[in-house]
């Protein structure tokens, strides 16, 4: 795994894993955190063909500001031939995704490994 030059903050960490850029969000994702994360997310989603994974497992609170970030990132990636995957296990965050219908557009995975296996197409670890 290669570490991204972007310094981690208390709300996010970025790293590469087998051809995927992983953005691990932490803590509370609200309007203040979204303002901190948005410029980096826009930079990452502005490149063509990016395979981005949003790992929300360490998230404790997720509101509509977080939903806007995810929806915007998905749209930007699709426009540029990229792909967005979601890793999420927190019941309340999953509920927000289900209630808003975002799980139909972006089905959540329980682990980063499951995303990598699905993207690989083999269904087996690489």
């Amino acid at each position: 795994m290669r570490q991204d030059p972007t310094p981690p903050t208390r709300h996010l960490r970025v790293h590469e894993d087998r051809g995927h850029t992983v953005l691990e969000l932490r803590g509370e994702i609200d309007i203040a955190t979204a303002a901190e994360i948005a410029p980096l997310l826009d930079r990452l989603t502005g490149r063509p063909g990016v395979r981005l994974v949003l790992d929300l497992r360490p998230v404790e609170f997720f509101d509509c500001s977080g939903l806007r970030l995810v929806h915007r990132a998905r749209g930007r990636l699709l426009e540029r031939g990229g792909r967005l995957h979601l890793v999420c296990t927190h019941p309340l965050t999953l509920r927000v995704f289900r209630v808003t219908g975002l799980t139909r557009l972006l089905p959540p995975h329980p682990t980063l490994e499951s995303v990598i296996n699905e993207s690989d197409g083999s269904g087996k670890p690489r």
Side-chain angles (χ1 to χ4, degrees):
M1 279 204 253
R2 182 180 61 79
Q3 194 66 21
D4 190 81
T6 304
T9 71
R10 69 185 190 109
H11 295 291
L12 67 100
R13 185 179 82 117
V14 180
H15 63 277
E16 295 289 325
D17 191 338
R18 295 169 276 178
H20 292 75
T21 301
V22 181
L23 181 59
E24 180 183 294
L25 303 180
R26 302 176 184 153
E28 297 185 3
I29 308 303
D30 56 18
I31 194 164
T33 308
E36 174 187 323
I37 294 169
L40 171 66
L41 196 54
D42 281 351
R43 191 172 75 226
L44 293 172
T45 59
R47 301 184 311 221
V50 171
R51 294 189 300 176
L52 182 67
V53 178
L54 292 179
D55 187 348
L56 303 181
R57 288 175 296 177
V59 169
E60 299 161 5
F61 175 81
F62 193 86
D63 72 6
C64 62
S65 302
L67 286 173
R68 275 193 300 274
L69 282 176
V70 172
H71 192 268
R72 177 175 164 78
R74 181 182 177 274
R76 288 173 54 87
L77 286 166
L78 289 175
E79 288 172 359
R80 292 162 179 82
R83 179 91 183 181
L84 179 63
H85 300 277
L86 180 69
V87 177
C88 182
T89 56
H90 193 286
L92 294 178
T93 304
L94 287 170
R95 182 173 182 209
V96 168
F97 277 93
R98 272 193 307 275
V99 166
T100 60
L102 202 50
T103 54
R104 289 190 307 270
L105 299 175
L106 193 60
H109 293 266
T111 66
L112 180 57
E113 198 63 37
S114 67
V115 169
I116 303 295
N117 290 343
E118 179 184 285
S119 295
D120 164 351
S122 70
K124 299 175 188 172
R126 299 164 85 181

